[in-house]
């Protein structure tokens, strides 16, 4: 049986003396759509920032594809990060650049392609996310949902093995949110990637996730972990079941 792609062991997240989460132990398998969920203020985005190496954990380890990120040297960290794509709530695009220029940035930095090849690849990536013909538009000239898709196009510019999303559906109407969920699955399947998502959108969790962790702000650790559909029915923790049942009520 293959080893998990990402392993968290005895992980503690803290800002100085303030502990956000402690004793996090879970695995993310290759090909998962893994959701980090929980109530407001539980540390979902903080955990994501640790997973992509922005914050150093107070304790414990994050092992990605067999390598402990925080004990790796700078060259190893750079090689690991080149295999990751990250999207942000707002899309995270540079406003003074066109969509094609935004997508071109990682290609210019990390490949030896010439400008024409980079332009063609940027146009192709935009087409993959349904933005064919918008390559010369600026972020301010398109809708919020389109900006999120453009952010996804930039995140997949280098064909990453892992895609990280921070609240991808935030601010979207239900139809746009559903279309983005479908796009995430399509991209996951076409790249053979693993997806890690921070979200509180229950409809999205049930639609696309096969694995998840529930973080709790009161006890400051994970309360449950596994397939969200199974946790809805069988979690031993009423708080987790209530959280997930809210999604059933919203959809019903």
């Amino acid at each position: 049986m293959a080893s998990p792609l990402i392993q968290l062991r005895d992980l503690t997240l803290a800002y100085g003396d303030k502990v956000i989460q402690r004793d996090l132990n879970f695995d993310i398998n290759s090909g998962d759509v893994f959701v980090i969920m929980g109530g407001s203020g539980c540390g979902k985005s903080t955990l994501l920032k640790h997973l992509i190496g922005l914050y150093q954990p107070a304790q414990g380890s994050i092992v990605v594809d067999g390598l402990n990120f925080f004990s790796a040297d700078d060259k190893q960290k750079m090689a690991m990060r080149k295999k990751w794509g990250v999207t942000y709530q707002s899309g995270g695009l540079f406003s003074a650049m066109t969509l094609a220029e935004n997508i071109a940035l990682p290609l210019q930095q990390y490949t030896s392609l010439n400008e024409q090849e980079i332009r063609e690849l940027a146009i192709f990536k935009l087409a993959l996310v349904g933005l064919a013909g918008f390559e010369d538009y600026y972020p301010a000239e398109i809708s919020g949902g389109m900006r999120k898709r453009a952010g996804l196009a930039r995140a997949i510019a280098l064909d990453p093995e892992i895609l990280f999303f921070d609240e991808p559906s935030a601010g979207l109407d239900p139809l746009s949110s559903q279309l983005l969920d479908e796009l995430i699955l399509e991209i996951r399947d076409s790249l053979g990637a693993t997806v890690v998502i921070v979200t509180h959108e229950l409809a999205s969790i049930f639609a696309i996730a096969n694995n998840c962790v529930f973080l709790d702000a009161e006890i400051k650790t994970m309360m449950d972990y596994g397939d969200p559909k199974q946790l809805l029915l069988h979690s031993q923790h009423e708080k987790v079941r209530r959280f997930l049942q809210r999604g059933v009520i919203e959809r019903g």
Side-chain angles (χ1 to χ4, degrees):
M1 188 173 180
S3 298
L5 181 61
I6 303 174
Q7 298 172 291
L8 278 70
R9 295 293 179 266
D10 303 321
L11 195 71
T12 293
L13 320 178
Y15 297 122
D17 295 331
K18 182 181 180 182
V19 173
I20 308 301
Q21 288 284 317
R22 61 167 64 89
D23 300 326
L24 300 183
N25 288 278
F26 61 85
D27 298 332
I28 301 174
N29 298 309
S30 181
D32 272 356
V33 176
F34 188 96
V35 167
I36 301 168
M37 63 183 189
S40 297
C42 68
K44 300 186 294 294
S45 292
T46 298
L47 175 55
L48 185 71
K49 290 171 183 174
H50 281 76
L51 287 171
I52 62 177
L54 294 180
Y55 293 166
Q56 177 95 20
Q59 182 177 310
S61 64
I62 298 174
V63 175
V64 183
D65 204 12
L67 185 64
N68 186 336
F69 181 84
F70 291 100
S71 63
D73 60 36
D74 290 343
K75 186 176 180 179
Q76 290 172 317
K77 287 179 179 178
M78 179 60 70
M80 294 169 76
R81 283 187 168 126
K82 285 172 68 175
K83 298 178 182 179
W84 303 347
V86 182
T87 69
Y88 305 93
Q89 288 188 33
S90 63
L93 302 170
F94 291 99
S95 60
M97 294 181 174
T98 66
L99 301 189
E101 289 169 343
N102 269 280
I103 280 71
L105 278 177
L107 297 167
Q108 291 166 341
Q109 188 168 4
Y110 296 115
T111 75
S112 58
L113 299 173
N114 63 43
E115 286 304 310
Q116 180 61 33
E117 291 169 329
I118 288 173
R119 167 80 178 178
E120 291 173 357
L121 192 51
I123 291 172
F124 173 67
K125 297 295 182 179
L126 286 166
L128 284 180
V129 300
L131 291 175
F134 288 89
E135 52 269 10
D136 294 320
Y137 281 62
Y138 288 89
E141 297 176 319
I142 59 177
S143 70
M146 294 169 76
R147 285 194 292 273
K148 286 179 182 288
R149 283 188 275 149
L152 175 54
R154 188 176 61 186
I156 64 172
L158 296 174
D159 295 335
E161 296 177 7
I162 308 173
L163 274 168
F164 296 97
F165 292 86
D166 188 8
E167 298 282 5
S169 300
L172 297 183
D173 61 83
L175 179 57
S176 296
S177 180
Q178 180 182 340
L179 292 173
L180 184 61
D181 287 343
E182 293 170 359
L183 179 59
I184 289 170
L185 290 180
E186 289 172 9
I187 295 296
R188 187 276 308 265
D189 293 341
S190 64
L191 293 180
T194 300
V195 177
V196 181
I197 304 177
V198 168
T199 186
H200 65 277
E201 301 286 347
L202 273 297
S204 293
I205 291 171
F206 285 114
I208 66 175
N210 70 297
N211 203 356
C212 72
V213 64
F214 184 93
L215 305 182
D216 185 71
E218 292 183 28
I219 63 173
K220 297 186 185 301
T221 191
M222 56 189 286
M223 186 170 280
D224 220 333
Y225 156 60
D227 186 324
K229 298 181 183 68
Q230 293 300 313
L231 296 185
L232 169 66
L233 299 173
H234 304 298
S235 176
Q236 298 179 3
H237 302 278
E238 182 184 357
K239 192 171 188 177
V240 176
R241 296 196 306 273
R242 271 203 324 268
F243 183 90
L244 293 169
Q245 286 164 1
R246 179 172 60 88
V248 174
I249 293 168
E250 288 173 354
R251 288 178 295 140

